[in-house]
Amino acid sequence: MSLGSVLPLFISTPSTTAKSLQWGNRNWASQRLRIVAKSKSDASPSSSTPTSLLSFLCPLLTLFSGKDPSQPRNLPFELATSSLASLSRFAWGNKSIAETSLCKEITSEHPFSLQLFEFEACPFCRRVREALTELDLSVEVYPCPKGSVRHREVVSITGGKEQFPFLIDKKKGISMYESGDIVKYLFEQYGEGRSPSSGLLESTIFTGWMPTILRAGRGMTRWVYSRPDPPPGKLELFSYENNPKARIVREALCELELPYILQNVGEGSHRMNLLLDASGSKEVPFFIDHSTGFQSGDCTTILSYLFETYSTVIL
């Protein structure tokens, strides 16, 4: 787990007391970050509605999802619901709108400036991921599912509250909450003069919540048999936000609370050559576990590998 200089990326660390961890993180945060966006809940009592709705849906969707995520799945059904989830978000998160890319020279080994703490089922986090796809930006993702044993604590200590999404731009020394503020910031800094569409800033009950409902809360809760320690090496996923198969893989990474490099390769991405060099194809998802050498572009194979490799039980 990593947060710049707080914790090394994807490397297990010696046990640390909560007090010393908290002091170290706060010290780093005070030196490196400026919290530039306040929670809407701090500004207006009415803003608690979305959070209340999410709190209500979480246990309900978890109940309906039912099956253990590590067990064999009905892939046609999974793809059907994931495809419907994509359709409900229209064209957002499908392609890059950047004429030039600030990440043209990026490689797998390039240091990443952006870190996103989020969870896959969150409709507010989804809008940020869509913006990242459209801006052709890659990011370090730190999944924060319900029941998190690592990343939620980092957000609470660093930002002062447990709210998602939470973005850190290490290059600029900026951190912020609130999806709308994050999307505006990303376009201001990396949008080459473009403005975000209204769909990335606001959403209706249908466009915002429908993907979460259709996927029955997948990517919302940490799997009970997930390993408590972070992976020993870098995990890398080539994806774009609205791809149905890539969504299923991201859900699994979230449920296992596995941090990973998200290489966004939407239509027109300047990163497409990186994907072609790695897989020989433009198809996503394509997943690489750099610690074991595993790589695959098959959704079912990736799921099996993740749950077999990063669980505390033998499957």
Side-chain angles (χ1 to χ4, degrees):
M1 179 175 66
S2 160
L3 204 160
S5 57
V6 177
L7 295 171
L9 183 61
F10 308 143
I11 302 297
S12 300
T13 56
S15 59
T16 310
T17 64
K19 184 175 182 180
S20 64
L21 176 62
Q22 182 174 354
W23 173 258
N25 286 342
R26 283 179 174 170
N27 183 52
W28 178 85
S30 65
Q31 294 176 15
R32 295 289 300 279
L33 301 176
R34 288 186 290 121
I35 306 297
V36 300
K38 290 186 178 181
S39 166
K40 291 180 181 176
S41 62
D42 294 337
S44 170
S46 63
S47 65
S48 62
T49 302
T51 303
S52 300
L53 181 57
L54 187 60
S55 299
F56 170 75
L57 281 176
C58 280
L60 190 63
L61 290 173
T62 300
L63 176 65
F64 282 127
S65 65
K67 292 183 63 177
D68 183 333
S70 68
Q71 296 302 306
R73 305 187 186 191
N74 183 336
L75 189 58
F77 178 77
E78 293 270 328
L79 288 176
T81 57
S82 187
S83 296
L84 288 172
S86 295
L87 287 173
S88 71
R89 289 300 293 162
F90 302 106
W92 298 307
N94 277 324
K95 61 182 180 179
S96 167
I97 62 171
E99 292 181 1
T100 61
S101 177
L102 298 177
C103 302
K104 276 183 180 178
E105 300 178 358
I106 202 166
T107 69
S108 260
E109 303 305 320
H110 194 283
F112 290 81
S113 167
L114 300 174
Q115 298 177 323
L116 179 63
F117 291 77
E118 53 92 66
F119 60 99
E120 182 66 26
C122 171
F124 312 109
C125 302
R126 184 177 300 114
R127 295 207 296 264
V128 174
R129 297 194 305 267
E130 289 170 346
L132 289 166
T133 293
E134 294 195 2
L135 293 172
D136 203 20
L137 295 170
S138 288
V139 62
E140 292 176 2
V141 175
Y142 295 86
C144 300
K146 296 285 184 179
S148 163
V149 296
R150 293 192 300 274
H151 303 150
R152 284 192 174 225
E153 182 181 13
V154 173
V155 173
S156 296
I157 293 172
T158 304
K161 56 189 173 184
E162 192 174 291
Q163 179 178 305
F164 307 97
F166 181 64
L167 180 79
I168 294 174
D169 189 337
K170 295 187 293 181
K171 184 178 180 180
K172 308 288 186 180
I174 297 292
S175 74
M176 62 178 66
Y177 295 97
E178 294 295 343
S179 59
D181 292 325
I182 293 172
V183 170
K184 290 176 184 176
Y185 170 80
L186 290 172
F187 271 82
E188 287 171 1
Q189 295 297 319
Y190 305 105
E192 302 168 316
R194 290 176 173 78
S195 298
S197 65
S198 60
L200 294 179
L201 296 175
E202 300 177 1
S203 62
T204 65
I205 292 295
F206 178 81
T207 60
W209 294 94
M210 190 55 66
T212 301
I213 294 171
L214 286 167
R215 292 300 296 148
R218 291 288 193 193
M220 180 178 291
T221 304
R222 181 179 178 272
W223 186 45
V224 65
Y225 296 115
S226 302
R227 285 186 180 180
D229 53 312
K234 181 174 67 176
L235 307 180
E236 187 172 14
L237 178 66
F238 289 86
S239 166
Y240 62 86
E241 174 57 29
N242 225 6
N243 181 274
K245 292 182 179 179
R247 176 183 290 107
I248 294 172
V249 174
R250 294 195 310 266
E251 289 168 350
L253 287 165
C254 184
E255 290 167 342
L256 290 164
E257 202 179 355
L258 293 172
Y260 61 99
I261 300 294
L262 177 61
Q263 298 278 17
N264 278 307
V265 284
E267 180 185 344
S269 170
H270 293 84
R271 198 168 290 98
M272 194 61 72
N273 285 338
L274 189 60
L275 173 59
L276 283 169
D277 290 342
S279 70
S281 168
K282 292 185 178 182
E283 296 298 316
V284 296
F286 187 74
F287 175 79
I288 305 172
D289 187 334
H290 290 270
S291 63
T292 65
F294 172 86
Q295 52 186 281
S296 176
D298 179 75
C299 177
T300 303
T301 302
I302 297 170
L303 291 180
S304 297
Y305 171 81
L306 288 173
F307 283 103
E308 289 173 6
T309 305
Y310 293 103
S311 70
T312 58
V313 294
I314 299 176
L315 299 177

